[in-house]
Amino acid sequence: MSVVKTAILATALGASALASTAATTAKVGTVKPTVVLVHGAFSDGSTWSQVIPLLQAKGLKVVTAQNPLTSLADDVAATRRVLNRETGPVVLVGWSYGGVVITEAGQQENVKALVYVAAYAPSENQSIAELNKDYPTPPGLTTLVADKDGFLALTPEGVSKYLAQDLPEDRTKVIAATQHLTQGKNFETKVSVAAWKTKPSWYVISEQDHMLQPDLQRALAKKIQATVMTLPASHAPHLSRPADVAAAILAATAAVSP
């Protein structure tokens, strides 16, 4: 092969390699965030079943944490195991008690945004009990029953009247029958960090919430300087208003996407 032909071939190969590298770089630069969904007390990952298909339809990868609800430390560890499996950016979403979990677990570097759905957002060294103490007790909390080991459950009436009063009876019966017992001490355990201090946050406020005072939700959203969506919904807007909750999550993913 002549020197000229060799030079031409080398140039072509070099250009091809550069093009391949550029394409790879572009692909990496446009990776969409994975959405990691964290459930609240008395539930599991299936509580997000109405929201997941809406996010997947937009081409997003969605993963749910399956937290044991045996202690805050156990739940944070379970969420971190999910986060550690993701190599790209993550939008971390928490409902209700799940907000406490994402506040602690969300400090991980791959978490780029937090979304609180009718959720607690404590500061460092703060618990749910401390957040609640300055507000009237929501009626739903009076329907909790404890077993001898301190695990709590909601009565069927608590589910139908206070947790998800905007859902039909056939659905609230299923929620009551499938609820996940939750250790009562979880609500008294303080977080050690507050990820919302360093991560952009979104907050979905439920105006007709009988489990977490709407006034407290508004105060928390203001404290964490969140982008706010307000819904005329129960404590379970992800079940009664899934399209709206999905829209809030999509807004967060769009804001942190390359």
Side-chain angles (χ1 to χ4, degrees), residues 91-135:
V91 170
L92 186 59
V93 184
W95 167 53
S96 190
Y97 161 76
V100 181
V101 179
I102 71 170
T103 295
E104 182 87 24
Q107 66 180 316
Q108 292 199 192
E109 185 178 353
N110 61 336
V111 175
K112 303 304 179 184
L114 303 169
V115 182
Y116 292 83
V117 179
Y120 290 97
S123 299
E124 298 100 328
N125 299 313
Q126 198 171 41
S127 67
I128 285 179
E130 290 172 324
L131 287 173
N132 281 337
K133 67 181 176 62
D134 294 327
Y135 294 84

Side-chain angles (χ1 to χ4, degrees), residues 203-208 218 227-233 241 244:
Y203 199 110
V204 177
I205 295 173
S206 286
E207 290 187 310
Q208 298 167 7
R218 284 186 277 269
T227 299
V228 175
M229 173 186 284
T230 301
L231 298 176
R241 303 287 293 260
D244 292 316

Side-chain angles (χ1 to χ4, degrees), residues 50-161:
Q50 303 298 307
V51 173
I52 291 170
L54 302 177
L55 300 177
Q56 291 175 332
K58 297 298 183 180
L60 293 172
K61 179 183 177 182
V62 185
V63 184
T64 63
Q66 295 287 3
N67 293 338
L69 304 178
T70 47
S71 71
L72 177 58
D74 290 345
D75 296 336
V76 169
T79 297
R80 283 177 175 158
R81 283 193 291 273
V82 174
L83 294 174
N84 289 340
R85 295 180 61 188
E86 300 303 320
T87 57
V90 168
V91 170
L92 186 59
V93 184
W95 167 53
S96 190
Y97 161 76
V100 181
V101 179
I102 71 170
T103 295
E104 182 87 24
Q107 66 180 316
Q108 292 199 192
E109 185 178 353
N110 61 336
V111 175
K112 303 304 179 184
L114 303 169
V115 182
Y116 292 83
V117 179
Y120 290 97
S123 299
E124 298 100 328
N125 299 313
Q126 198 171 41
S127 67
I128 285 179
E130 290 172 324
L131 287 173
N132 281 337
K133 67 181 176 62
D134 294 327
Y135 294 84
T137 300
L141 297 187
T142 66
T143 67
L144 292 171
V145 292
D147 67 13
K148 61 182 180 63
D149 297 314
F151 282 86
L152 303 174
L154 280 164
T155 64
E157 180 185 36
V159 174
S160 63
K161 287 188 175 182

